[in-house]
């Protein structure tokens, strides 16, 4: 048809072209004084796609993390065992599910079933690669004279946290090890970013800021978290900052009628907020972990015809209040949100987006501002005053709304947890869901927010090993970075086993020099584009370069 329309009398002329050729042709016809729009082009439609089909969204986030781990630890394991073909297949499966109407949750029942099966298969394959790689690396780590050694791995930003170790009867353990409610050992672990470290369970010291649970109060010397009898969080006191974090009851589950006038799975209409459903009832509030590694309280609620079970926990030395959530969802045309009113007065909220973050105003002065009543974020959203802020983190939810409280009392952060449209999938979101989110008070520290959001999505892993002398040091890292950049990927180059790609980004909106060090045998290096094509001659010597705000940097490390 396109070829016929290239020369058909009475019809517009059509020419097949590449995207680049089209843009060149359009550019040649543009006037010199084009108008410029500063800021994002917010789509005033399809706000429901941030939340519809929550299992697919959680599976996507999990798969992105597994793929990152599989590539990283396969590089660390060694070039001879790098599963390039299998990783390529897994990535193609992952990216296929990110196609229009699949990941947005606006597909038919058959589409959803196919996608869930594809994600499950990809997760199993990637998990197998990670498990095999970590076992081989851990077996080569020098554990010295440890009695009960485990190797802690961190594929993320090196923020540490609670690592779980498979329970084994007879394992000698120190005071810094706790038997968790899930039946595993828990230990506070801090390995380098993209690296590992050895920990001896037999001598793990008690944490310097141990977690505790007393009645309905969780504390660790940094935060004190008080729950009410209904399971809501009534107070979060930040001891170092000497201030109350909350401006009202928090982690309040709110249920709304959600019946968009059009495009059921796609849209949320603005009026939903005027139709709350009073159907949240507390069943039980129980202390399930008392510390010292982690303290936790379980809260069970009935929400309409659904059951929501949450474990609210605080780890030793942590500024993060985690909320692990399991839901048996049985609603139709309902929207479930979790609300956190915080004592922070801010004119705008900062949302993480792909490869950076964007600031969105909290007022509704214009039609553009009012239209952003539901907005998308990746792993976190944060509000801040001078020197203090609060972030809401997640491991697989995308819909958010942030608004001011009256009279400057603070700000409400709300996370959309689940929807239940009935078209085009009449069974959308019905059944079991599991996900986590977390409240993070911080001292205006954006790098901390990013590290903790990464840790929530990529928690440390622990691999028990036999004591022995190994060829790898007790502590090491695949790559280490100093300067305003974070590592996003470490993988084998598409060109073959002779090169490794390290992809970084400037994550905070600044600039400056960056230095990368690595234990890999680097012969030379160069910068490359996203297709891994060199952007100049390779050079030897230190890997040093400058970054601009939000710049993506791809490095080719040639191994010798």
């Amino acid at each position: 048809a396109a070829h016929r329309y290239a020369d058909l009398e009475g019809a517009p002329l059509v020419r097949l072209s590449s995207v680049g050729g089209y843009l060149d042709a359009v550019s040649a016809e543009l006037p010199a004084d084009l108008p410029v729009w500063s800021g994002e082009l917010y789509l005033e439609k399809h706000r429901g796609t941030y939340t519809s089909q929550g299992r697919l969204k959680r599976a996507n986030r999990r798969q992105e993390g597994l793929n990152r781990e599989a590539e990283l630890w396969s590089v660390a394991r060694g070039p001879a065992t790098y599963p390039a073909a299998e990783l390529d297949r897994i990535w193609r499966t992952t990216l296929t599910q990110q196609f229009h109407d699949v990941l947005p949750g606006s597909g038919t029942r058959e589409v959803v079933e196919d996608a869930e099966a594809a994600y499950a298969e990809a997760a199993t394959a990637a998990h197998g690669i990670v498990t095999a790689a970590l076992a081989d690396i851990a077996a080569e780590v020098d554990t010295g004279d440890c009695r009960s050694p485990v190797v802690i791995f961190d594929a993320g930003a090196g923020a540490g946290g609670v690592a779980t170790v498979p329970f084994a009867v007879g394992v000698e353990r120190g005071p810094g090890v706790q038997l968790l409610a899930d039946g595993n050992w828990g230990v506070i672990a801090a390995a380098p970013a993209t690296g590992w470290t050895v920990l001896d369970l037999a001598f793990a010291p008690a944490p310097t800021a141990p977690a505790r649970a007393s009645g309905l109060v969780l504390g660790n010397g940094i935060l004190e978290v008080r729950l009410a009898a209904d399971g809501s969080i009534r107070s979060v006191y930040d001891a170092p900052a000497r201030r109350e974090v909350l401006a009202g009851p928090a982690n309040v589950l709110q249920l709304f009628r959600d019946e968009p006038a059009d495009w059921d799975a796609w849209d949320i209409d603005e009026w939903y907020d005027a139709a709350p459903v009073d159907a949240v009832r507390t069943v039980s509030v129980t202390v399930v972990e008392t510390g010292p590694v982690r303290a936790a309280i379980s809260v069970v609620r009935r929400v309409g015809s659904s059951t929501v079970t949450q474990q609210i926990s605080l780890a030793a030395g942590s500024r993060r209040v985690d909320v692990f959530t399991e839901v048996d969802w049985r609603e139709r045309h309902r929207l479930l949100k979790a609300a956190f009113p915080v004592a922070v007065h801010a004119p705008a909220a900062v949302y993480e987006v792909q490869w950076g973050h964007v600031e969105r105003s909290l007022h509704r002065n214009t039609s553009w501002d009012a239209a952003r009543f539901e907005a998308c974020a990746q792993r976190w959203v944060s509000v801040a005053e001078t020197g203090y802020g609060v972030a809401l983190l997640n491991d697989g939810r995308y819909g958010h709304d942030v608004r001011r409280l009256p009279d400057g009392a603070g700000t409400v952060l709300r996370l959309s947890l689940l929807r239940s449209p009935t078209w085009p999938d009449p069974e959308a979101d019905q059944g079991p869901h599991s996900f986590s989110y977390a409240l993070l008070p911080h001292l205006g520290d954006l790098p901390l927010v990013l590290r903790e959001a990464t840790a929530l999505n990529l928690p440390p892993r622990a691999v028990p090993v036999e004591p022995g002398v190994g060829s790898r040091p007790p502590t090491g890292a695949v790559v280490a970075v100093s300067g305003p950049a974070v590592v996003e990927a470490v993988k084998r180059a598409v060109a073959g086993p002779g090169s490794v790609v390290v992809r970084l980004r400037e994550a905070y909106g600044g600039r400056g020099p960056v230095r990368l060090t690595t234990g890999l045998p680097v012969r030379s290096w160069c910068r490359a584009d996203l297709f891994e094509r060199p952007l100049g001659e390779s050079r030897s010597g230190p890997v040093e370069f400058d970054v601009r705000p939000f710049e993506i940097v791809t490095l080719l490390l040639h191994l010798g």
Side-chain angles (χ1 to χ4, degrees), residues 168 190 204 341 354 386 448:
Q354 61 274 36
T386 301
L448 174 66

Side-chain angles (χ1 to χ4, degrees), residues 515-532:
R515 181 184 177 97
L516 182 141
T517 57
T518 176
L520 299 172
V522 177
R523 172 175 46 86
S524 61
W525 67 279
C526 68
R527 293 184 65 158
D529 64 14
L530 291 175
F531 290 100
E532 302 178 16

Side-chain angles (χ1 to χ4, degrees), residues 96-118:
T96 298
Q97 312 320 309
Q98 294 181 351
F99 181 70
H100 177 75
D101 279 330
V102 183
L103 182 55
S106 45
T108 63
R109 173 95 303 249
E110 292 80 5
V111 166
V112 174
E113 289 172 348
D114 286 352
E116 288 182 335

